[in-house]
C-alpha cells in the first residue's frame, strides 16, 4: 500500500510533503530581508508562502483519500542512526490541510488586522515560524523531529503572546484591580508569554522523558518502526514502564493543549494579537496535543493484539478531556471578556476531542471515537478560527476587550453579525446544519456506545458541557450584538467615532470559514462517514485495528432510517435537548432579556457564590500561583536569608577560594618575562620525557 | 618526481603566485587603498578552497594515508586540513578588510596571510620530515611578521618578539628531533622513520624516545599544550586581533596536523606508553586553560586561554586513538569546528576593537544593543565553544567524550578524560556566560547603535550559518572527518 516507502530519490509527492513544512520556515527567513526593502511587501510574501504551503498540502489529499502514504527519509545523523523524514499518512495529510488552509486565511486576515503596526516584520517572522513548526509536528515520522517542531511551536507562542512587549494597559487581560486569593488577576503580555512558555514546558519535559524512555527500549524514534516491531512494548510492559511512558507522553499533550491541570496559560495567552489567538486556538498550538494523541492512540490500542492492556492510558485521556471540557465551560459562562470566553471554549472543546480519543481506546469500535475526535478537530478549527477573527474585528472597531463595552452592534456590523451567528451556531452545535452538531453528536455516540464502565459519567459530563457551551455562545452573541449600545460605544460616538464594518481583508477570511461551517454542516453526516471510511481503512492497514462490521449493521436500524442512518438515537436526542436548553436559557437572559442576568445572579447567595467561584477560575489559577510562584519565592528568600548567608557562606568559602586561588596561581605564573617562559618550556621537555617513560 | 596535478602542488602554485604578485602590484600602483589586495587574496583563497573541494568531490584525492614514497601525498587527511585552514584564512582575510583600512602596507599583509596559509596546507600534506619542517617554517615566519604588524604598538612588538623567540626555539627542537630520527633510521620519510623505529634495538630506543619528546615539545608549542603555552596569551593579546584569529584557528590546527602525522604514528610504532602521557597533558592543558581564562579581563586574552583549553579537548581524541575507532575522527571534527568558532570569535572581537577601541570586558556592557550582529555572532561562537546544543561544538565534544568513555573498555583511565572534559566545559561556561551577560544583560554607557563593519558582518553571517548549520545537520561533516582518518592498522601491523 505504501507509495513512498523508498529510500532513494524524491517523488513529486514526497517533495510536496517536505515543502509543506519547509516553505513557512523559508518565509520566516526571507521576511526580515524583504522588510529591508519594503515593510508592506512582507504581507504579500507571508501570504504567498502560506498559500504555497497550503497548495502543497492539498496535493497530499488524493493519497490520503486513497489510504496511501508518503514516507520519505533522509539521513540526519547517520553515526547514531538517526533519520529525518516526512510521514504523510491519511491522519497527517488531513491534519496538515486543516492547519495550512486555516493558517492561510488567518494570514490574510492579519494583513488587515496588523495594518500599521511598526513591528510587522517580527510579527510575520514568528507567524511563519509558528506554522512551519506546527507542520513539522504534523508531518514528522519520528518523535525527535516532532519534538523540534513541538519546541518551535512553544517558542513562537511565547514570542507572539508577548508580542506587544511594551505592556500597554490595553493589551493586558483580566480586570484591573481584581484580586483572587490575594493575587492580582490582571496580566501583562510579557508575563503571559512567559507563563505560557513555562506551563507548557512542564508538559514538554514529561514528554521528553516519555520519549527517551521508549527510545531506550525500542532504539528508534520512528513511528513506523515502533508500529512494525512491538518487542519494545512487551519488554517495557513486563517492567511496568510502558504505562508511565505513555502517560508521560500524554503529559506533553496536556501542556500544549491546555488540558487540566495545565490549562491556565491559555487564558492569559489572549494578550497576543487576535490573529495569533486565532492561530493558537484553531490551527497550531493547542491542536498539536490532540494530534500527538491521535498519532499515538492507535499505536497503543493496537498493542492489545499482543496482549498488552492499555486501558489505563485511555482512561486517563478520557477523564482529563472530560474534566477539562466541563471545568472550562463553567468558567466560560461568566467571563466578561470576549476573547477569554472564546479561550475557555477552546480548552473545553479540546477536552471533547481528548475525551473522544480516550473513549475510542476503551471501546470495541476504536474507529468511532477516533473519527469523532478528529472530525471535531476539523469543525472546531473552522468555527473557532472564524469566531476569533470576528472577535478581533470587534475589538478593533470598539477598542475594548469587554463584552459589556459592546452591545447592540448588529445594526452596524451586519456581516460580522451574520458570520458570528453562523460560526457560533457551529460552536453551539445547532442541529443538522452545522459541522459542530455532527461532530459533537459523533462524540456523544462514541461515548455512549463504548460500553465502558465510565461511559455513563463521562457522557453526563459531556452533556452538561454541551448545555453550557450553547449557553455561553448565546450569551456572547447576545451581549455583543443585541440590547442597547453600551456606555462605552455611546461615548465613542459622541466623540465623533463612527462604528463601521471591518475591512474586506478581515471579514472575508472569517466569512469563508463561517460559510464552510454551515456548508459542510449541511452534508455533515456524509462528511463524517467519509472520514470514518478513510480512518477505518487507515487503522486496519497501518495498525491492524479491525472494525467490527456487525456493529455497523446494528447502527443502520436507527429510528429515522434513511437520512439519519448510522446516528445513535440517544446521542441525537441528547444533543438536541442540550442545544434546546442552553439556547433557551441564553435567549431568556441575553437576547430576549426577559430576566436581568446581573440581578438574577445577585438574587440569592447560592447563584452569587457559584458565579464568583467560576469567575475566580475555581481558584485553580490562584492556587497554582501560590503553590508554584509565591511559595517558592518565599522559600528561596528564606533559604537565602537563613541558610545561604549563615551556613553556606560559612563553609562554602573552601571551594570558592580554591577555584579563585587556582586561577590566581595560573595568573601569577604568567609573568610576562620571557626568561621564565623559556625555563618552563625547557622543564616541559623533561616532563614529557618522564611521562613517556612511565 | 613531482606530480604536477596533485592538490598540494597546485595549491602552492595558485596561492604562491598570487602571494608574490600582490606586493609587486602595490609597488606599481601609486594610489593607496587596501581593498584591492584584500580582494585579490580573497579571490585566490576562494578558488583554492573550491579547487580542494572539487578534488575531493571528483575523487582525485586518495584515501587518507600516512605514508608515501614522495614528500607530499594527495590524500583526504591533507584535504580535510586544507579545507579547515583555508576557511580560517578566508575568514581572516575578510575580517581584515576593515582592520587594514588606513593601515600601512596592506599588500604585504595579505601576501603574508597567503604565504602562511600555503605553509599550513602543506604541513597537512607532508609525508617527509624535511618537507614538513620546510612547510612549518613557511607557515611560521609570515606569522612572526604579522604578529608585529602594528609596528608602532609596543604590545604588538612584544607579542611578535615573544612569539618569534619561542618559534625559533621550537624550530630548533623540531630540527633536533628530525636529526635524531634521521640518525637512527637513515631516512627522513615518515613512513620509513616509523618502520625503522619499530625495529630498533633496546640500545637505540632512548634516542627514539627523545625524538618523540622533541616532536611533542616542538609541535606542542604551536598547539599551545601546557607547559609549552606560556607565550600564547601574551602573543594573542598583543598581536592584531585578526592575526590572533589566524594563529588560534589556523596555525594551531596545522600543529595538530603535524602532531597527527608524526607523533601519533611514531609513538604507536615505538609501543611506548605515550597515550597515557598525552592524556595527562590533555587534562592539564584543558584545566590550566579554562582556569586561567576565568580571571581574564581582556577579551583576546580570554579567548587565548580558551583556545588552550580546546587544545586539551582535541588532545583527548589523539590520546585514545589506539583504543577507540572514533577518537581521531572526533578530534578532526573538533579541529574543524574549533577553527571556525574561534576564528569567528576573534574576528568579532577584532570588529569590536576596531570600531569602539575597547577590549576590556567591562567596556562591552550593553554591546548587544550597540553592535547587534557582531554580538550575536560572538554569542553563537561562544556558546558553540562551550558545547551548547544544537551548535556544532556540541556534536564534536559529544563525540570526543563519547570516544573517551568508549575507550574505557580497553584502558581504565580513558573515561576520566571524559569526566575532566565535561567538568571543564562546565567551567568554561562561566567565562563565556560572563561575556554574554555583560553584552546583553547589563546597561552600557551608551545605547546608540554604531555602524558595524561590513566585512565583520559578512564573517559573522558565514560563521552563524556554519555553526548552526552543522549543529542541526552534522552528518556530512562527521562523514568527511571519518574519511580523513588515516588507517592506523597499517602502522600497527608494520612491526
Amino acid at each position: 500500500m505504501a507509495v513512498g516507502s523508498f529510500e532513494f530519490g524524491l517523488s513529486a509527492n514526497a517533495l510536496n510533503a517536505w515543502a509543506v513544512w519547509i516553505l513557512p520556515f523559508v518565509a520566516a527567513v526571507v521576511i526580515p530581508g524583504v522588510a529591508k526593502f519594503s515593510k508592506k511587501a512582507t504581507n504579500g510574501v507571508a501570504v504567498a508562502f502560506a498559500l504555497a504551503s497550503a497548495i502543497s498540502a492539498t496535493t497530499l489529499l488524493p493519497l490520503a483519500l486513497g489510504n496511501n502514504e508518503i514516507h520519505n527519509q533522509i539521513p540526519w545523523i547517520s553515526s547514531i542512526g538517526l533519520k529525518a523524514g516526512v510521514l504523510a499518512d491519511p491522519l497527517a495529510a488531513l491534519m496538515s490541510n486543516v492547519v495550512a488552509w486555516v493558517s492561510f486565511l488567518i494570514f490574510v486576515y492579519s494583513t488587515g488586522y496588523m495594518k500599521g503596526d511598526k513591528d510587522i516584520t517580527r510579527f510575520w517572522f514568528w507567524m511563519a515560524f509558528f506554522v512551519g513548526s506546527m507542520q513539522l509536528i504534523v508531518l514528522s515520522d519520528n518523535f525527535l523531529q516532532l519534538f523540534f517542531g513541538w519546541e518551535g511551536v512553544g517558542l513562537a507562542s511565547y514570542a507572539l503572546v508577548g508580542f506587544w512587549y511594551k505592556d500597554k494597559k490595553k493589551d493586558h487581560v483580566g480586570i484591573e484591580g481584581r484580586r483572587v486569593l490575594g493575587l492580582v488577576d490582571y496580566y501583562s503580555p510579557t508575563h503571559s508569554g512567559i507563563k505560557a512558555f513555562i506551563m507548557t514546558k512542564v508538559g514538554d519535559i514529561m514528554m521528553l522523558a516519555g520519549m527517551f524512555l521508549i527510545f531506550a527500549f525500542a532504539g528508534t524514534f520512528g513511528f513506523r518502526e515502533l508500529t512494525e516491531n512491538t518487542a519494545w512494548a512487551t519488554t517495557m510492559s513486563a517492567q511496568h514502564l510502558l504505562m508511565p511512558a505513555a502517560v508521560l507522553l500524554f503529559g506533553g499533550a496536556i501542556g500544549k493543549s491546555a488540558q487540566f491541570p495545565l490549562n491556565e496559560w491559555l487564558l492569559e495567552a489572549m494578550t497576543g494579537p487576535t490573529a495569533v489567538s486565532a492561530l493558537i486556538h484553531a490551527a497550531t498550538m493547542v491542536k498539536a496535543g490532540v494530534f500527538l494523541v491521535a498519532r499515538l492512540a492507535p499505536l497503543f490500542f493496537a498493542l492489545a493484539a499482543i496482549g498488552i492492556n492499555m486501558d489505563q492510558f485511555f482512561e486517563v485521556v478520557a477523564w482529563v478531556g472530560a474534566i477539562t471540557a466541563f471545568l472550562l465551560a463553567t468558567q466560560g459562562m461568566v467571563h466578561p471578556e470576549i476573547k477569554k470566553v472564546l479561550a475557555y471554549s477552546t480548552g473545553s472543546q479540546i477536552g471533547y476531542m481528548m475525551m473522544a480519543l480516550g473513549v475510542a481506546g476503551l471501546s470495541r469500535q476504536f474507529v468511532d471515537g477516533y473519527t469523532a475526535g478528529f472530525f471535531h478537530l476539523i469543525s472546531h478549527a473552522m468555527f473557532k478560527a472564524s469566531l476569533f477573527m470576528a472577535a478581533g474585528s470587534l475589538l478593533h472597531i470598539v477598542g475594548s476587550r469587554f463584552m459589556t463595552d459592546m452591545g447592540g452592534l448588529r445594526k452596524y456590523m451586519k456581516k460580522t453579525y451574520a458570520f458570528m451567528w453562523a460560526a457560533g451556531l457551529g460552536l453551539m452545535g445547532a442541529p443538522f446544519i452545522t459541522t459542530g452538531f455532527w461532530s459533537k453528536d459523533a462524540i456523544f455516540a462514541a461515548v455512549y456506545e463504548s460500553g465502558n464502565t465510565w461511559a455513563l459519567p463521562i457522557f453526563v459530563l459531556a452533556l452538561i458541557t454541551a448545555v453550557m457551551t450553547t449557553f455561553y455562545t448565546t450569551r456572547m452573541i447576545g451581549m455583543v450584538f443585541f440590547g442597547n449600545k453600551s456606555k462605552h460605544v455611546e461615548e465613542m460616538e459622541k466623540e465623533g467615532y463612527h462604528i463601521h464594518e471591518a475591512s474586506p481583508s478581515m471579514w472575508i477570511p472569517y466569512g469563508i470559514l463561517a460559510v464552510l461551517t454551515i456548508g459542510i454542516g449541511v452534508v455533515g453526516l456524509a462528511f463524517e462517514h467519509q472520514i470514518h471510511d478513510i480512518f477505518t481503512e487507515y487503522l486496519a492497514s497501518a495498525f491492524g485495528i479491525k472494525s467490527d462490521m456487525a456493529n455497523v449493521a446494528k447502527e443502520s436500524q436507527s429510528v429515522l432510517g434513511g437520512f439519519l442512518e448510522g446516528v445513535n438515537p440517544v446521542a441525537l436526542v441528547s444533543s438536541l435537548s442540550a442545544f434546546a436548553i442552553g439556547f433557551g436559557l441564553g435567549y431568556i437572559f441575553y437576547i430576549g432579556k426577559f430576566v436581568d442576568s446581573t440581578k438574577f445572579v445577585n438574587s440569592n447567595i447560592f447563584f452569587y457564590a457559584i458565579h464568583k467561584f467560576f469567575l475566580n477560575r475555581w481558584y485553580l489559577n490562584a492556587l497554582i500561583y501560590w503553590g508554584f510562584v509565591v511559595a517558592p519565592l518565599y522559600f528561596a528568600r528564606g533559604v537565602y536569608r537563613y541558610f545561604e548567608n549563615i551556613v553556606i557562606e560559612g563553609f562554602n568559602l573552601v571551594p570558592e577560594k580554591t577555584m579563585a586561588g587556582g586561577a590566581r596561581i595560573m595568573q601569577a605564573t604568567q609573568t610576562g618575562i620571557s626568561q621564565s617562559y623559556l625555563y618552563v618550556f625547557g622543564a616541559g621537555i623533561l616532563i614529557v620525557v618522564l611521562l613517556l617513560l612511565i | 618526481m613531482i606530480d604536477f596535478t596533485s592538490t598540494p602542488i597546485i595549491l602552492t602554485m595558485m596561492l604562491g603566485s598570487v602571494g608574490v604578485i600582490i606586493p609587486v602590484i602595490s609597488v606599481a600602483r601609486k594610489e593607496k587603498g587596501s581593498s584591492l589586495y584584500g580582494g585579490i587574496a580573497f579571490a585566490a583563497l576562494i578558488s583554492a578552497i573550491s579547487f580542494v573541494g572539487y578534488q575531493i568531490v571528483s575523487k582525485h584525492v586518495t584515501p587518507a594515508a600516512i605514508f608515501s614514497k614522495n614528500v607530499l601525498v594527495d590524500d583526504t587527511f591533507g584535504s580535510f586540513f586544507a579545507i579547515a585552514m583555508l576557511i580560517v584564512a578566508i575568514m581572516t582575510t575578510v575580517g581584515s578588510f576593515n582592520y587594514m583600512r588606513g593601515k600601512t602596507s596592506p599588500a604585504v599583509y595579505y601576501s603574508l596571510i597567503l604565504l602562511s596559509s600555503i605553509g599550513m596546507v602543506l604541513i597537512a600534506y607532508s609525508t617527509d620530515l624535511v618537507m614538513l619542517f620546510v612547510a612549518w617554517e613557511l607557515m611560521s615566519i609570515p606569522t612572526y611578521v604579522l604578529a608585529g604588524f602594528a609596528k608602532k604598538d609596543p604590545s604588538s612588538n612584544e607579542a611578535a618578539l615573544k612569539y618569534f623567540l619561542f618559534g625559533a626555539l621550537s624550530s630548533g627542537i623540531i630540527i633536533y628531533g628530525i636529526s635524531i630520527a634521521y640518525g637512527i633510521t637513515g631516512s627522513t620519510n615518515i613512513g620509513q622513520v616509523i618502520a625503522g623505529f619499530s625495529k630498533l634495538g633496546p640500545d637505540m630506543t632512548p634516542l627514539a624516545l627523545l625524538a618523540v619528546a622533541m616532536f611533542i615539545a616542538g609541535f606542542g608549542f604551536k598547539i599551545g599544550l601546557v607547559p609549552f603555552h606560556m607565550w600564547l596569551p601574551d602573543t594573542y593579546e598583543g598581536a592584531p586581533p585578526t592575526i590572533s584569529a589566524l594563529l588560534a584557528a589556523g596555525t594551531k590546527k596545522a600543529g595538530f596536523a603535524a602532531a597527527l602525522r608524526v607523533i601519533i604514528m611514531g609513538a604507536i610504532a615505538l609501543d611506548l606508553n605515550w597515550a597515557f602521557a598525552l592524556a595527562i597533558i590533555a587534562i592539564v592543558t584543558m584545566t590550566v586553560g579554562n582556569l586561567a581564562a576565568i580571571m581574564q579581563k581582556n577579551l583576546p586574552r580570554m579567548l587565548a586561554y580558551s583556545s588552550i583549553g580546546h587544545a586539551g579537548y582535541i588532545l583527548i581524541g589523539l590520546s585514545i586513538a589506539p583504543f577507540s575507532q572514533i577518537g581521531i575522527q572526533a578530534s578532526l571534527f573538533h579541529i574543524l569546528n574549533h577553527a571556525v568558532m574561534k576564528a569567528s570569535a576573534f574576528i568579532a572581537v577584532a570588529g569590536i576593537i576596531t570600531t569602539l577601541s575597547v577590549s576590556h570586558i567591562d567596556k562591552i556592557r550593553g554591546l548587544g544593543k550597540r553592535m547587534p550582529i557582531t554580538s550575536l555572532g560572538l554569542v553563537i561562537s561562544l556558546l558553540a565553544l562551550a558545547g551548547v546544543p544544537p551548535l556544532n561544538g556540541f556534536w564534536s565534544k559529544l563525540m570526543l567524550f563519547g570516544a573517551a568513555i568508549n575507550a574505557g573498555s580497553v584502558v581504565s583511565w580513558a573515561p576520566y578524560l571524559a569526566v575532566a572534559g565535561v567538568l571543564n566545559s562546565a567551567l568554561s561556561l562561566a567565562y563565556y556566560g560572563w561575556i554574554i551577560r555583560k553584552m546583553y544583560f547589563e546597561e552600557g554607557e551608551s545605547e546608540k547603535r554604531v555602524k558595524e563593519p561590513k566585512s565583520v558582518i559578512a564573517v559573522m553571517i558565514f560563521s552563524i550559518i556554519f555553526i548552526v548549520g552543522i549543529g542541526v545537520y552534522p552528518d556530512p561533516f562527521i562523514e568527511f572527518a571519518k574519511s580523513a582518518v588515516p588507517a592506523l592498522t597499517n602502522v600497527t601491523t608494520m612491526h
Side-chain angles (χ1 to χ4, degrees):
Chain A
M1 61 148 241
V3 173
S5 291
F6 39 68
E7 296 246 335
F8 48 91
L10 276 168
S11 73
N13 273 318
L15 203 63
N16 282 339
W18 286 99
V20 172
W21 69 265
I22 290 176
L23 281 173
F25 282 119
V26 173
V29 173
V30 169
I31 283 166
V34 172
K36 285 266 171 217
F37 303 104
S38 151
K39 280 210 169 176
K40 239 182 179 171
T42 53
N43 288 336
V45 172
V47 171
F49 270 97
L51 181 64
S53 164
I55 289 171
S56 308
T58 309
T59 60
L60 306 177
L61 266 187
L63 282 157
L65 298 178
N67 191 31
N68 290 311
E69 66 172 30
I70 301 164
H71 189 192
N72 185 273
Q73 290 180 312
I74 54 158
W76 186 6
I77 303 162
S78 54
S79 32
I80 49 174
L82 269 184
K83 281 181 177 171
V86 286
L87 174 62
D89 53 4
L91 173 70
L94 284 174
M95 184 74 190
S96 78
N97 271 284
V98 173
V99 174
W101 285 105
V102 171
S103 348
F104 166 67
L105 289 173
I106 294 172
F107 273 40
V108 173
Y109 173 84
S110 306
T111 60
Y113 187 80
M114 297 301 287
K115 196 180 250 168
D117 194 303
K118 66 179 173 44
D119 288 327
I120 190 80
T121 316
R122 183 159 53 92
F123 176 80
W124 282 125
F125 173 83
W126 285 113
M127 288 290 266
F129 187 86
F130 208 169
V131 174
S133 306
M134 182 64 192
Q135 293 286 23
L136 178 58
I137 294 178
V138 173
L139 290 164
S140 291
D141 75 333
N142 63 70
F143 270 125
L144 194 65
Q145 202 182 332
L146 181 142
F147 195 74
F148 271 75
W150 195 264
E151 290 303 300
V153 165
L155 184 64
S157 71
Y158 158 74
L160 286 170
V161 166
F163 181 75
W164 283 317
Y165 63 94
K166 289 191 176 143
D167 289 349
K168 290 184 191 145
K169 204 173 239 180
K170 72 173 176 66
D171 302 327
H172 282 55
V173 294
I175 303 158
E176 201 177 354
R178 218 181 109 74
R179 280 173 177 271
V180 180
L181 292 184
L183 301 171
V184 274
D185 191 24
Y186 181 66
Y187 299 99
S188 69
T190 47
H191 180 100
S192 309
I194 291 170
K195 183 175 179 182
F197 194 66
I198 292 177
M199 281 193 96
T200 55
K201 200 79 14 198
V202 174
D204 292 356
I205 287 166
M206 290 164 75
M207 177 175 163
L208 204 60
M211 202 169 103
F212 277 99
L213 208 52
I214 288 185
F215 181 75
F217 284 88
T220 175
F221 287 116
F223 298 126
R224 280 285 161 274
E225 288 84 345
L226 288 173
T227 319
E228 275 154 20
N229 182 358
T230 49
W232 57 275
T234 320
T235 333
M236 283 182 83
S237 172
Q239 301 188 19
H240 303 291
L241 278 173
L242 185 57
M243 198 62 68
V247 173
L248 280 171
L249 282 171
F250 181 56
I254 289 181
K256 197 95 347 182
S257 286
Q259 297 294 291
F260 177 77
L262 296 177
N263 54 340
E264 295 296 347
W265 66 266
L266 190 66
L267 291 313
E268 271 69 50
M270 290 299 110
T271 49
T274 309
V276 173
S277 313
L279 202 59
I280 288 181
H281 286 249
T284 48
M285 181 106 170
V286 293
K287 296 289 164 71
V290 183
F291 179 79
L292 180 70
V293 177
R295 209 2 124 225
L296 298 176
L299 180 62
F300 289 141
F301 186 76
L303 293 179
I306 54 167
I308 300 171
N309 187 342
M310 293 295 285
D311 278 1
Q312 275 171 314
F313 169 73
F314 289 107
E315 276 168 15
V316 170
V317 175
W319 272 111
V320 165
I323 292 170
T324 314
F326 179 76
L327 180 78
L328 293 181
T330 58
Q331 301 175 36
M333 293 195 301
V334 296
H335 261 276
E337 287 167 71
I338 184 164
K339 279 174 79 180
K340 264 193 165 178
V341 171
L342 289 173
Y344 281 119
S345 142
T346 301
S348 166
Q349 299 299 309
I350 300 276
Y352 267 141
M353 296 168 208
M354 291 289 185
M355 185 174 80
L357 291 173
V359 162
L362 296 172
S363 55
R364 279 165 299 135
Q365 279 286 61
F366 181 79
V367 69
D368 285 355
Y370 196 70
T371 309
F374 199 78
F375 183 29
H376 198 55
L377 187 150
I378 297 176
S379 61
H380 178 258
M382 291 189 294
F383 61 66
K384 189 49 68 63
S386 176
L387 281 173
F388 257 114
M389 289 193 271
S393 293
L394 292 169
L395 258 68
H396 209 72
I397 304 296
V398 180
S400 164
R401 61 181 184 276
F402 292 100
M403 291 191 286
T404 43
D405 286 345
M406 299 173 186
L409 292 178
R410 67 181 187 279
K411 289 167 202 134
Y412 304 97
M413 304 176 69
K414 291 211 171 76
K415 295 194 186 79
T416 307
Y417 173 62
F419 294 141
M420 212 145 174
W421 259 121
L425 284 174
L427 176 57
M428 295 182 216
F432 308 120
I433 55 158
T434 59
T435 52
F437 172 75
W438 297 113
S439 55
K440 215 177 274 185
D441 183 68
I443 293 178
F444 287 166
V447 175
Y448 188 75
E449 286 169 3
S450 71
N452 186 270
T453 37
W454 297 117
L456 197 62
I458 290 181
F459 184 75
V460 172
L461 265 183
L463 199 59
I464 301 173
T465 307
V467 175
M468 294 190 289
T469 309
T470 317
F471 176 77
Y472 65 64
T473 316
T474 318
R475 169 178 177 266
M476 178 181 79
I477 292 176
M479 283 177 83
V480 172
F481 291 110
F482 289 88
N484 301 322
K485 280 183 272 189
S486 66
K487 272 189 201 143
H488 175 78
V489 173
E490 277 175 358
E491 269 170 32
M492 284 176 80
E493 285 189 332
K494 237 180 246 167
E495 285 166 21
Y497 184 82
H498 174 62
I499 304 272
H500 57 89
E501 184 57 82
S503 68
S505 64
M506 288 167 76
W507 65 258
I508 288 175
Y510 59 82
I512 291 174
L513 288 171
V515 170
L516 272 180
T517 305
I518 303 290
I520 296 180
V522 172
V523 292
L525 199 56
F527 192 76
E528 186 200 333
H529 284 319
Q530 187 65 41
I531 301 179
H532 194 281
D533 287 347
I534 295 172
F535 279 149
T536 310
E537 275 184 49
Y538 163 63
L539 291 171
S541 60
F543 300 95
I545 300 173
K546 293 277 183 298
S547 297
D548 185 0
M549 283 307 163
N551 217 357
V552 178
K554 191 195 78 191
E555 276 179 15
S556 61
Q557 302 166 351
S558 76
V559 255
L560 294 167
F563 173 62
L564 289 179
E565 185 184 354
V567 172
N568 183 302
V570 178
L572 181 68
V573 170
S574 309
S575 44
L576 283 177
S577 38
F579 177 75
I581 298 170
F583 187 72
L585 287 174
Y587 192 85
I588 292 171
F589 283 112
Y590 294 103
I591 297 182
K593 305 229 183 230
F594 304 123
V595 184
D596 187 322
S597 53
T598 335
K599 272 189 196 148
F600 181 76
V601 167
N602 291 332
S603 66
N604 84 38
I605 183 71
F606 179 68
F607 289 138
Y608 179 79
I610 288 214
H611 182 265
K612 191 167 177 196
F613 183 64
F614 289 165
L615 194 60
N616 286 345
R617 304 157 82 164
W618 291 44
Y619 294 98
L620 287 173
N621 188 51
L623 286 174
I624 286 175
Y625 268 85
W626 271 111
F628 293 99
V629 181
V630 182
L633 276 179
Y634 275 116
F635 180 69
R637 261 178 233 147
V639 167
Y640 178 69
R641 188 171 302 157
Y642 300 108
F643 188 69
E644 190 91 355
N645 272 359
I646 298 165
V647 183
I648 305 267
E649 289 287 302
F651 292 103
N652 202 27
L653 289 173
V654 181
E656 192 193 319
K657 291 282 171 203
T658 325
M659 282 256 286
R664 218 163 280 133
I665 290 168
M666 295 304 156
Q667 213 178 15
T669 56
Q670 202 76 39
T671 50
I673 301 164
S674 299
Q675 286 86 331
S676 67
Y677 290 8
L678 288 168
Y679 173 75
V680 174
F681 196 110
I685 298 174
L686 273 179
I687 293 171
V688 170
V689 171
L690 286 176
L691 274 175
L692 284 174
L693 287 172
I694 291 177
Chain B
M1 187 46 205
I2 297 171
D3 177 11
F4 281 101
T5 58
S6 84
T7 320
I9 302 292
I10 294 178
L11 279 181
T12 311
M13 293 192 297
M14 272 167 90
L15 297 175
S17 54
V18 178
V20 171
I21 286 170
I22 292 178
V24 175
I25 299 176
S26 81
V27 173
R29 200 162 156 266
K30 285 283 174 275
E31 77 227 72
K32 288 191 175 168
S34 62
S35 48
L36 173 71
Y37 314 115
I40 296 174
F42 175 70
L45 288 165
I46 283 285
S47 40
I49 198 170
S50 333
F51 173 68
V52 178
Y54 166 76
Q55 291 285 77
I56 295 167
V57 173
S58 63
K59 303 212 169 16
H60 275 103
V61 290
T62 55
I66 286 301
F67 313 116
S68 133
K69 293 193 294 285
N70 302 324
V71 292
L72 290 169
V73 67
D74 185 8
D75 68 348
T76 43
F77 176 86
S79 301
F80 182 86
F81 274 95
I83 295 261
M85 317 289 180
L86 289 171
I87 289 178
V88 174
I90 291 170
M91 288 170 79
T92 311
T93 308
V94 176
S96 301
F97 287 174
N98 174 62
Y99 177 77
M100 284 311 288
R101 192 159 295 148
K103 299 260 184 348
T104 48
S105 37
V108 176
Y109 177 89
Y110 290 114
S111 161
L112 288 173
I113 290 184
L114 283 184
L115 296 177
S116 176
S117 45
I118 299 174
M120 295 192 258
V121 168
L122 284 184
I123 288 174
Y125 285 112
S126 302
T127 51
D128 187 283
L129 289 174
V130 174
M131 181 67 226
L132 185 83
F133 183 73
V134 170
W136 183 265
E137 289 302 304
L138 181 56
M139 166 184 87
S140 302
I141 292 169
T143 54
Y144 301 144
V145 182
L146 286 170
F149 211 77
K151 64 182 177 193
K152 302 240 168 83
D153 176 3
S155 69
S156 176
N157 282 322
E158 184 196 332
L161 194 67
K162 271 190 187 144
Y163 182 35
F164 175 66
L165 207 57
F166 278 82
L169 176 66
S170 70
S171 291
I173 286 170
I174 293 172
I175 278 284
Y176 191 31
I178 292 176
S179 63
I180 297 176
Y182 180 73
I184 51 182
T185 61
S187 170
T188 57
N189 182 295
I190 296 177
Q192 291 181 16
V193 167
I194 288 169
F197 272 10
S198 59
K199 291 185 209 109
L200 287 183
D203 51 332
M204 284 303 210
T205 310
L207 269 180
L209 180 86
L210 195 61
V212 172
M214 292 297 167
F215 288 136
I216 292 180
F219 298 134
F221 138 80
K222 207 66 136 200
I223 298 171
L225 298 183
V226 176
F228 312 114
H229 71 290
M230 307 290 284
W231 62 279
L232 194 145
D234 294 358
T235 303
Y236 286 14
E237 184 187 351
T242 44
I243 296 308
S244 302
L246 187 70
L247 295 179
T251 60
K252 192 175 178 127
K253 301 298 149 350
F256 273 110
L260 273 161
R261 284 258 188 230
V262 178
I263 303 173
I264 301 295
M265 307 309 150
I268 286 176
L270 275 174
D271 220 8
L272 291 166
N273 198 358
W274 58 277
F276 186 64
L278 283 190
I280 288 188
I281 298 179
I283 292 180
V284 172
T285 302
M286 68 175 95
T287 313
V288 167
N290 284 316
L291 262 183
I294 289 182
M295 296 297 278
Q296 300 310 321
K297 292 280 189 281
N298 178 293
L299 280 174
R301 203 173 171 85
M302 184 183 274
L303 289 176
Y305 278 111
S306 139
S307 77
I308 295 177
H310 275 268
Y313 300 138
I314 297 171
L315 207 58
I316 290 181
L318 268 59
S319 66
I320 55 170
F323 317 116
S324 169
Q325 294 290 326
I326 55 172
I328 290 188
Q329 185 192 351
S331 280
L332 288 176
F333 189 36
H334 197 64
I335 284 171
L336 176 65
N337 284 339
H338 182 250
V340 175
M341 304 184 291
K342 195 42 73 59
S344 110
F346 262 117
I347 285 167
V349 170
I352 295 167
I353 291 176
T354 43
T355 26
L356 300 175
S357 17
V358 292
S359 60
H360 194 277
I361 190 163
D362 285 336
K363 294 276 166 58
I364 58 162
R365 287 201 184 106
L367 197 76
K369 286 198 181 112
R370 305 195 70 192
M371 302 179 73
I373 298 175
T374 313
S375 306
L376 180 72
L378 184 54
V379 165
I380 301 249
S381 317
L382 293 179
L383 290 177
L385 284 168
V388 173
L391 303 172
N392 61 353
F394 167 73
W395 293 107
S396 46
K397 275 193 184 173
L398 184 73
M399 281 177 72
L400 279 171
F401 303 156
I405 290 169
N406 192 12
S409 56
V410 187
V411 278
S412 57
W413 47 261
Y416 294 104
L417 284 167
V419 174
V422 170
L423 288 178
N424 265 291
S425 293
L427 192 61
S428 70
L429 256 180
Y431 57 88
Y432 296 136
W434 193 245
I435 301 182
I436 295 170
R437 189 188 141 150
K438 291 269 178 201
M439 285 199 301
Y440 283 95
F441 300 105
E442 290 188 10
E443 293 281 316
E445 291 148 18
S446 148
E447 286 200 357
K448 224 181 91 199
R449 205 173 150 163
V450 293
K451 196 165 174 289
E452 296 172 82
K454 285 208 177 64
S455 57
V456 174
I457 290 182
V459 175
M460 290 302 112
I461 290 174
F462 164 76
S463 48
I464 290 172
I465 292 173
F466 187 92
I467 289 169
V468 177
I470 292 194
V472 176
Y473 189 49
D475 204 51
F477 285 86
I478 293 178
E479 289 303 309
F480 184 30
K482 191 176 183 181
S483 73
V485 177
L488 284 175
T489 44
N490 292 350
V491 190
T492 33
T493 49
M494 279 176 60
H495 57 96

